[in-house]
Amino acid sequence: MSIAKTYNPKEAEEKWYSYWMENGFFRSTPDEREPYTIVMPPPNVTGVLHMGHMLNNTIQDVLIRRARMQGKNACWVPGTDHASIATEAKVVAMLKEQGIDKKSITREEFLKYAWEWKEKYGGIILKQLEKLGASCDWDRTKFTMDPDLSEAVIDTFIKFYKEGYIYRGVRMVNWDPQGKTALSDEEVIRKEVNQKLYYIRYQIKDSDEYVTIATTRPETIMADTAICINPNDTRYSHLQGRTALVPLINREIPIITDEYVEMEFGTGCLKVTPAHDLNDYELGQKHNLEVIDILDDDGTLNEKAQILVGEDRFIARKKVAKMLEEAGQIDKIEDYKSQVGFSERTDAAIEPKLSMQWFCKMDQLAKPALEYVEDGTIKLIPEKFFASYKHWMENVKDWCISRQLWWGQRIPAWYNDRNEWVVAKTEAEAVAEFESLGKSTNGIRQEDDVLDTWFSSGLWPMSVFDGVRHPDNAEFNYYYPTNDLVTAPEILFFWVARMIIMGHDYTQKPPFRNVYLTGIVRDKLGRKMSKSLGNSPDPIELMEQYGTDGVRVGMLLSSPAGNDLMFDVSYCEQGRNFANKIWNAFRLVKGWETVDQPATDAQKTAATWFENRFNQAVADIDEHFANYRLSDALMSTYKLIWDDFCAWYLELVKPAYQAPIETETLETVKTFFEKVLALAHPFMPFLTEELWHDELFGAREKGDCAIVATYPITQPFDEQIIKEFEVVQQVISEVRSIRNTKGISPKVALPLAINATVIDFKKYQESIIKLANIAELTFVSEKVHGAVSFLAGKDECYVALESNIDVAAEKERITKEIAYLKGFLASVEKKLSNERFVQNAKPEIVQNEQNKKADAEAKIAILEESLRSLG
RNA sequence: GGAGAAUUAGCUCAGCUGGUUCAGAGCAUCUGCCUUACAAGCAGAGGGUCACUGGUUCGAAUCCAGUAUUCUCCACCA
């Protein structure tokens, strides 16, 4: 029976994914085996698969599949994140398209829309992961707003509150005027922006004098409550204690002094606007200044501004500047570059805003989380991220955890009509709490505050096993701490640090042992792949085009941990080609007729070599996995299969055209084939499963699948055998090379004579004849004259050509080689004659140099002899 | 403004605590092959002052210092 000439991934992919699913191979329940657990970083519920997910989840799948094959109880928990602000923004936009304003509907109505939307569009990404071959335990799929997970979030809030980590207060926060919510520091992205620096004159009261200040934000002058100068600044000493007038509105403000003001910057005078700048706020606190907040939640000016009420801050900026100019109160305007914060999600310019919010105290919580990484309990891979992790942990500020949104877990705080409040899980408990405090419960209500998404995702490794609500449950105890976390470095602080903090606070254990930080997927030009740039290929299309296995291989081929991946479709092509190579190797074996015979000696020799080489490769691969060097592990697998298995082993045992193969050898080949399929399975699950079930291997028992095949275990191997065969390979290559350079067709069989003094070539006689196409192989003990010669190791080989050899060319070639060896020898001798080297270097190094010397001398002697014999 | 990282073949990257894994791999390139598993292939070949300048050392791609270029993270100076 013949099979297709090229591998057709599509069919295999559909067939085997549903087969795995139906037979429960992805499912995990606690048992006596060692668990191996990964919780998937939950993609946003609104997300669609992009190249970053592709990389991330391929890595996780490779790890989980390998662990499963190693006999561990592998559990990969998938899920999605409600992504509070990002999702709410999308729902708001959707409603807007339908002509519905968020303000016009109630919270309950909005949430109804949001849930509908989530049901409709949410989780597309999980479906897409199936195409990738992700072997998640889908029965465990979680969503961060599932009732049990939400309850865990509320419980945690209350616990942290009781432990004193959570407090409520008025602080300067990052305000997103578009999302109309507070943000944490981590959600603010700073970008350099070209701005104008306006030099504005403030008149001194009862005088014709002016003081000039420099600001980038003239629209905030109406909120000024002081002018500040450095007390040491003699230029302005005469102004101390005077009063200035805010331009346009002529409000009186004091002139104060503080060393905070840099004399060199601008004019050395600072306008103090406590409501709209963090530093000014602190200055205001210090000097007891009034706080005038002239901005509404949406970034428009309110009535306190007195002028331009209702205008957006950026329009107001221009208008104020114009009005000042007309009033002659602008000295000059300079171009100026400065850092401005933008909302990570809405990209709106952040407004520092004084606001009542909930905060989580971080300093104490952060300490054990830092220790875990410091003492190696948790390993960051690659380690280079430790420095910034440490820096963040040591400088972490309190975390603003409340968001003025609807989509998320509502903060369990209850207020009465006097705005007194208690923290309680239910209204009933709140009532009881109020009463026990002797406070009114009139008008009891909750505010429209929800918790930061990262507060809930921080619990993810615990909450997916219900470990927050029921820490004693068997599943949690079995699977937690999880093993590996695979995620992007961007969210090291957002997410990883907080999981460690929360995990420790609950369990006194780390939530995972290893954090594998993947790189960013970039295009060939080094640009980050993004939708807006349009430089990202559609992963689904890629999989259609190159096959899922091909794309998986392509992704991994050049992505060492933590390094960015310069993605190019040619990698997928390489992956596809590799899949095809395996497919065709299989076709070869499948096509053989058999004869009931034992293996020949040559076949046995080949099998011995390959077995040792295989074990060597397994050892390599194991080591690469231990170091999380997946691309190296893949490359070792790739070379083992392509070069050693296909190009050498199969060629060695391959019977002549239409000749049958010995049954014993076929069995050996099949055994090896299964082993290499097992090695390749984590990388190429579909192809390997497809071949695994081919009738070539006979009928498989139920459950005998590549997905649960035994992953090869490191076995001892004989390096000598491998090295010896390398010399044999060298002989074969040299003969081929001679053909190539002399323009002799590969079909022409050549005679070969070997003066074997080191290697037992007799053992490989047949192999050499076969692969180098040798007409006659003789063993000689003396130099063969008139033949092309070459050295394989230290044994000389001769190929007698029919035509006379080109003596001049041979001489030149040999002379060149001698020259090279002599140069090499000279450098070795120089070393050895250096007393300080002999004295200082380790004995084995010196011995090595001596070996090199003897080696080179022996080779030179042989070559010089050859040269002489050429006349 | 601070911190970290990178710079090795045309491209993407290995190269651990200095010395036979020391100048490597894959891809690409070139030459020859439609050899009956595979042209998505086979065989062979070429290709690098290890960014630059110094230093340490018997010995440096490897350690140190400086320079250049690039990247990332962190940081509230109007």
Side-chain angles (χ1 to χ4, degrees):
Chain A
M1 185 195 119
S2 73
I3 57 174
K5 202 168 170 180
T6 51
Y7 169 54
N8 174 16
K10 199 154 190 162
E11 207 182 309
E13 286 168 18
E14 282 161 18
K15 179 166 64 180
W16 294 112
Y17 200 84
S18 50
Y19 181 86
W20 291 326
M21 286 284 277
E22 281 157 21
N23 290 278
F25 284 113
F26 302 163
R27 256 181 239 136
S28 169
T29 46
D31 58 23
E32 70 291 340
R33 289 176 298 167
E34 181 191 342
Y36 176 83
T37 319
I38 298 182
V39 291
M40 178 188 292
N44 287 358
V45 67
T46 62
V48 290
L49 196 69
H50 63 240
M51 296 305 286
H53 295 123
M54 192 77 196
L55 173 63
N56 186 263
N57 287 287
T58 299
I59 291 167
Q60 292 176 70
D61 196 48
V62 168
L63 294 174
I64 208 91
R65 281 180 185 271
R66 182 165 178 269
R68 188 181 293 121
M69 292 171 75
Q70 287 175 324
K72 293 176 191 163
N73 187 346
C75 181
W76 184 13
V77 185
T80 47
D81 193 298
H82 67 281
S84 187
I85 184 166
T87 306
E88 179 150 332
K90 286 205 177 181
V91 175
V92 168
M94 175 207 70
L95 289 174
K96 203 172 174 186
E97 267 174 37
Q98 298 176 17
I100 303 170
D101 185 0
K102 184 186 162 192
K103 271 187 239 164
S104 71
I105 57 174
T106 66
R107 178 195 169 86
E108 282 65 35
E109 282 167 335
F110 178 83
L111 288 177
K112 212 177 124 236
Y113 283 118
W115 277 106
E116 270 172 19
W117 197 83
K118 184 253 166 189
E119 293 309 326
K120 197 166 167 193
Y121 301 107
I124 288 176
I125 190 164
L126 297 184
K127 275 274 163 239
Q128 294 180 314
L129 285 177
E130 293 181 9
K131 186 152 177 56
L132 180 65
S135 59
C136 315
D137 184 350
W138 296 108
D139 295 348
R140 295 179 176 276
T141 305
K142 295 286 191 290
F143 175 53
T144 50
M145 270 172 72
D146 284 342
D148 51 331
L149 276 82
S150 281
E151 191 182 353
V153 170
I154 299 305
D155 288 352
T156 303
F157 182 96
I158 293 168
K159 172 177 144 76
F160 276 23
Y161 176 75
K162 285 186 180 152
E163 288 171 348
Y165 292 126
I166 286 178
Y167 65 91
R168 183 172 184 250
V170 174
R171 297 285 185 283
M172 198 57 114
V173 297
N174 306 298
W175 186 262
D176 175 348
Q178 195 176 315
K180 287 181 211 138
T181 177
L183 298 177
S184 68
D185 294 343
E186 287 71 37
E187 287 165 300
V188 177
I189 311 291
R190 295 195 179 272
K191 297 184 214 166
E192 192 165 83
V193 175
N194 289 317
Q195 299 204 97
K196 302 277 181 207
L197 190 60
Y198 300 86
Y199 286 76
I200 303 170
R201 292 177 174 186
Y202 285 53
Q203 195 185 351
I204 306 297
K205 191 188 170 194
D206 303 326
S207 138
D208 290 337
E209 227 184 313
Y210 287 93
V211 61
T212 305
I213 59 93
T215 180
T216 55
R217 303 202 57 189
E219 76 279 16
T220 64
I221 63 169
M222 291 83 81
D224 289 352
T225 51
I227 296 277
C228 190
I229 54 180
N230 192 299
N232 305 318
D233 197 335
T234 49
R235 293 174 296 175
Y236 301 114
S237 351
H238 63 288
L239 294 178
Q240 288 184 18
R242 301 286 296 271
T243 298
L245 297 173
V246 176
L248 306 180
I249 57 171
N250 289 323
R251 185 158 46 72
E252 296 185 1
I253 53 173
I255 296 175
I256 61 171
T257 62
D258 196 290
E259 292 191 343
Y260 164 76
V261 178
E262 297 278 343
M263 293 190 275
E264 290 76 31
F265 188 89
T267 61
C269 294
L270 175 71
K271 78 186 198 64
V272 186
T273 320
H276 302 296
D277 184 278
L278 180 59
N279 294 302
D280 289 12
Y281 175 68
E282 280 164 8
L283 207 54
Q285 293 278 85
K286 192 169 157 190
H287 293 272
N288 238 338
L289 296 175
E290 194 186 347
V291 176
I292 303 175
D293 185 347
I294 60 162
L295 287 177
D296 266 345
D297 289 354
D298 60 358
T300 58
L301 271 58
N302 62 27
E303 66 286 348
K304 287 196 190 124
Q306 301 181 38
I307 53 172
L308 299 171
V309 175
E311 285 286 9
D312 179 79
R313 54 197 165 137
F314 294 114
I315 294 165
R317 179 175 302 170
K318 287 190 184 128
K319 290 197 172 168
V320 167
K322 199 170 170 225
M323 289 160 81
L324 288 168
E325 205 149 19
E326 281 163 1
Q329 284 182 285
I330 295 231
D331 253 13
K332 57 175 173 177
I333 301 172
E334 286 177 349
D335 285 326
Y336 185 70
K337 272 188 186 152
S338 71
Q339 300 282 325
V340 177
F342 291 87
S343 165
E344 193 213 5
R345 289 296 170 193
T346 67
D347 206 36
I350 291 302
E351 202 58 57
K353 188 178 167 66
L354 212 48
S355 149
M356 174 70 91
Q357 300 288 345
W358 293 88
F359 296 87
C360 184
K361 272 196 236 176
M362 296 297 277
D363 47 355
Q364 246 180 296
L365 286 168
K367 266 182 206 153
L370 175 58
E371 277 164 25
Y372 277 137
V373 180
E374 245 166 2
D375 68 18
T377 308
I378 294 176
K379 251 172 71 185
L380 297 186
I381 300 145
E383 285 171 7
K384 66 176 176 186
F385 288 104
F386 175 65
S388 55
Y389 179 81
K390 184 178 159 87
H391 183 263
W392 190 80
M393 281 301 192
E394 284 174 345
N395 296 282
V396 63
K397 291 190 196 135
D398 288 359
W399 170 19
C400 177
I401 53 173
S402 45
R403 299 288 179 275
Q404 285 60 56
L405 300 166
W406 282 340
W407 181 244
Q409 286 93 10
R410 212 166 180 185
I411 288 179
W414 304 80
Y415 302 80
N416 64 17
D417 54 5
R418 285 186 228 155
N419 270 337
E420 294 164 322
W421 52 273
V422 294
V423 168
K425 194 165 177 177
T426 61
E427 184 167 346
E429 285 176 31
V431 168
E433 180 74 14
F434 270 128
E435 280 168 355
S436 76
L437 293 168
K439 287 179 177 161
S440 155
T441 58
N442 284 341
I444 189 163
R445 67 183 198 284
Q446 279 187 291
E447 294 281 331
D448 281 346
D449 287 346
V450 299
L451 277 159
D452 182 6
T453 296
W454 300 101
F455 194 88
S456 72
S457 33
L459 298 169
W460 186 244
M462 295 185 284
S463 58
V464 294
F465 299 115
D466 206 8
V468 172
R469 300 187 310 161
H470 303 109
D472 291 330
N473 85 70
E475 290 227 326
F476 184 56
N477 282 312
Y478 181 74
Y479 291 115
Y480 186 95
T482 67
N483 296 71
D484 298 335
L485 175 79
V486 181
T487 193
E490 293 116 271
I491 53 177
L492 188 57
F493 311 129
F494 267 121
W495 190 43
V496 180
R498 280 154 187 171
M499 281 192 286
I500 299 175
I501 285 171
M502 291 176 150
H504 173 78
D505 192 71
Y506 264 103
T507 67
Q508 315 301 308
K509 284 182 206 161
F512 30 71
R513 300 294 183 186
N514 301 291
V515 181
Y516 180 113
L517 296 154
T518 63
I520 296 166
V521 183
R522 297 177 180 278
D523 68 7
K524 272 219 115 167
L525 300 170
R527 299 172 305 178
K528 189 172 172 171
M529 281 191 174
S530 72
K531 240 195 217 163
S532 51
L533 268 175
N535 60 347
S536 177
D538 177 0
I540 301 291
E541 271 172 36
L542 274 183
M543 288 189 273
E544 300 279 345
Q545 197 178 347
Y546 297 102
T548 297
D549 290 337
V551 178
R552 288 168 62 114
V553 167
M555 297 275 0
L556 285 177
L557 268 176
S558 87
S559 70
N563 274 11
D564 290 357
L565 164 62
M566 301 291 171
F567 182 81
D568 188 89
V569 290
S570 67
Y571 290 120
C572 294
E573 216 174 290
Q574 195 181 348
R576 178 201 61 181
N577 294 354
F578 183 40
N580 200 45
K581 182 71 188 177
I582 298 174
W583 178 260
N584 275 293
F586 190 82
R587 277 181 72 211
L588 170 69
V589 175
K590 194 172 160 66
W592 286 337
E593 300 292 329
T594 58
V595 56
D596 195 5
Q597 292 281 327
T600 65
D601 286 347
Q603 287 169 336
K604 281 185 193 159
T605 309
T608 305
W609 163 73
F610 183 72
E611 190 166 9
N612 280 281
R613 173 65 201 113
F614 178 85
N615 287 326
Q616 185 187 44
V618 172
D620 277 355
I621 293 164
D622 278 350
E623 200 186 323
H624 289 317
F625 269 108
N627 295 316
Y628 291 85
R629 305 186 61 143
L630 270 61
S631 54
D632 290 335
L634 171 57
M635 190 41 77
S636 294
T637 308
Y638 179 95
K639 286 197 273 196
L640 173 74
I641 294 178
W642 199 308
D643 299 340
D644 299 310
F645 185 64
C646 295
W648 287 101
Y649 177 70
L650 288 182
E651 291 296 338
L652 284 171
V653 300
K654 182 171 156 182
Y657 179 49
Q658 287 193 337
I661 191 160
E662 293 74 4
T663 43
E664 189 186 345
T665 297
L666 179 63
E667 286 313 306
T668 311
V669 171
K670 278 156 65 177
T671 309
F672 285 146
F673 218 125
E674 282 192 328
K675 284 186 176 182
V676 298
L677 286 179
L679 271 185
H681 179 82
F683 302 108
M684 313 172 90
F686 294 109
L687 168 73
T688 50
E689 193 71 84
E690 172 76 15
L691 295 180
W692 191 265
H693 293 274
D694 191 276
E695 61 191 9
L696 175 72
F697 294 112
R700 296 273 180 196
E701 281 180 29
K702 194 168 160 48
D704 181 0
C705 293
I707 190 173
V708 287
T710 304
Y711 192 85
I713 295 162
T714 322
Q715 307 273 359
F717 57 92
D718 185 343
E719 220 171 328
Q720 249 350 90
I721 292 176
I722 297 165
K723 282 196 171 150
E724 192 173 273
F725 192 71
E726 273 168 16
V727 180
V728 174
Q729 289 172 310
Q730 201 192 332
V731 171
I732 295 165
S733 285
E734 286 282 1
V735 174
R736 286 169 173 172
S737 178
I738 287 169
R739 261 201 201 85
N740 224 304
T741 49
K742 308 279 176 200
I744 302 167
S745 159
K747 287 174 189 157
V748 176
L750 296 175
L752 175 69
I754 303 178
N755 184 352
T757 57
V758 183
I759 306 274
D760 175 17
F761 282 103
K762 287 216 167 80
K763 216 163 65 178
Y764 301 100
Q765 197 168 351
E766 279 179 55
S767 302
I768 294 170
I769 289 170
K770 189 173 182 183
L771 296 196
N773 192 15
I774 298 303
E776 194 194 0
L777 177 57
T778 50
F779 292 97
V780 295
S781 50
E782 282 183 1
K783 189 159 289 294
V784 174
H785 295 276
V788 177
S789 64
F790 60 88
L791 274 177
K794 273 184 274 181
D795 296 328
E796 199 168 27
C797 307
Y798 313 91
V799 177
L801 300 176
E802 260 180 36
S803 58
N804 286 331
I805 61 163
D806 182 342
V807 175
E810 277 307 294
K811 273 176 143 175
E812 197 193 327
R813 192 177 57 79
I814 295 171
T815 311
K816 262 190 181 169
E817 205 174 334
I818 291 174
Y820 171 80
L821 282 168
K822 281 196 169 161
F824 177 75
L825 183 64
S827 77
V828 174
E829 279 175 337
K830 193 180 156 200
K831 254 190 209 177
L832 283 170
S833 62
N834 182 338
E835 267 179 47
R836 288 197 283 179
F837 169 70
V838 180
Q839 277 166 15
N840 295 331
K842 280 183 250 165
E844 60 264 34
I845 303 281
V846 177
Q847 183 57 47
N848 223 320
E849 292 298 313
Q850 257 145 12
N851 294 347
K852 274 156 79 176
K853 185 182 169 201
D855 228 70
E857 280 169 347
K859 285 182 178 176
I860 290 170
I862 297 170
L863 289 170
E864 280 180 334
E865 179 61 35
S866 298
L867 203 56
R868 264 195 297 281
S869 75
L870 284 168

